[in-house]
Amino acid sequence: AQIKRLILETLPLGLMLILNTVMNRLDTVIVALTRPTLEVGWLGLSYRIYDTILVLPQFFLNILYPLMLGSASLSFRRLFSRSLQLLTLSALILSLLLFLFAPLLSIFGASMLPSVPALRILSLALPFFFITALFQWTLLAFHQEKLLIKTYAAGLLFNASLNLIFI
């Protein structure tokens, strides 16, 4: 009975994480199916750098989450507002730096320079990821996992459409 309850309680979060993973990797699958292996490698290098940066908001929000759960409405609003400001500013700075310094991929060899456009495109997504991460944790704090599933499903459809158009 406890295992069944645990599965039912965690299923929405698990489904949201699966949708998120598919949404964030769909372009890699499409590239792998339609392009030469070398291009998949270039995209893979760009993603390794991008994924490394994406841990920053997650670390911050892992620390913030217990505070979110224990906050009264007024202090929660302040906490949310300040976190949003910090994440937005951080993301914009990191996005700009990543975009500008993407050509430094040449330190891995001149053959990696074709990774620059993909890394620049990914750099533009950083602010969206940083900000949506805060909304994700906020919805989790308010037990709105089902809304997260709908949001990530819509994001997956939007992302799939863009990938099919531009890849």
Side-chain angles (χ1 to χ4, degrees):
Q2 286 182 338
I3 292 175
K4 182 180 179 182
R5 185 178 60 97
L6 181 63
I7 290 171
L8 290 175
E9 286 179 11
T10 59
L11 190 62
L13 183 59
L15 186 55
M16 185 265 316
L17 291 171
I18 289 169
L19 289 169
N20 184 36
T21 301
V22 173
M23 180 174 58
N24 287 325
R25 291 296 182 227
L26 187 59
D27 59 340
T28 305
V29 172
I30 293 171
V31 169
L33 293 173
T34 61
R35 308 284 190 163
T37 306
L38 186 59
E39 290 183 30
V40 177
W42 293 330
L43 182 60
L45 174 61
S46 298
Y47 261 113
R48 295 296 268 182
I49 295 165
Y50 176 75
D51 287 342
T52 301
I53 295 170
L54 290 186
V55 302
L56 298 174
Q58 293 305 323
F59 286 159
F60 174 71
L61 291 163
N62 284 340
I63 294 166
L64 195 66
Y65 187 66
L67 298 174
M68 293 169 85
L69 292 174
S71 293
S73 65
L74 183 58
S75 68
F76 180 85
R77 285 189 180 113
R78 190 173 332 130
L79 181 66
F80 181 88
S81 176
R82 291 198 177 164
S83 299
L84 182 60
Q85 291 170 2
L86 177 67
L87 287 167
T88 302
L89 181 61
S90 302
L92 291 172
I93 291 168
L94 288 169
S95 181
L96 179 64
L97 291 173
L98 191 58
F99 190 90
L100 293 175
F101 292 109
L104 291 179
L105 286 175
S106 64
I107 64 172
F108 298 111
S111 64
M112 289 296 126
L113 281 176
S115 297
V116 170
L119 185 56
R120 284 186 164 161
I121 291 169
L122 290 172
S123 76
L124 300 175
L126 281 177
F128 298 105
F129 185 87
F130 276 50
I131 293 166
T132 58
L134 176 61
F135 284 96
Q136 171 190 335
W137 284 95
T138 301
L139 288 172
L140 288 172
F142 288 102
H143 306 290
Q144 296 296 314
E145 293 86 357
K146 291 180 181 173
L147 179 57
L148 276 173
I149 292 171
K150 293 174 185 174
T151 303
Y152 277 90
L156 175 59
L157 290 173
F158 179 72
N159 190 18
S161 300
L162 289 178
N163 282 319
L164 292 172
I165 292 168
F166 290 111
I167 294 181

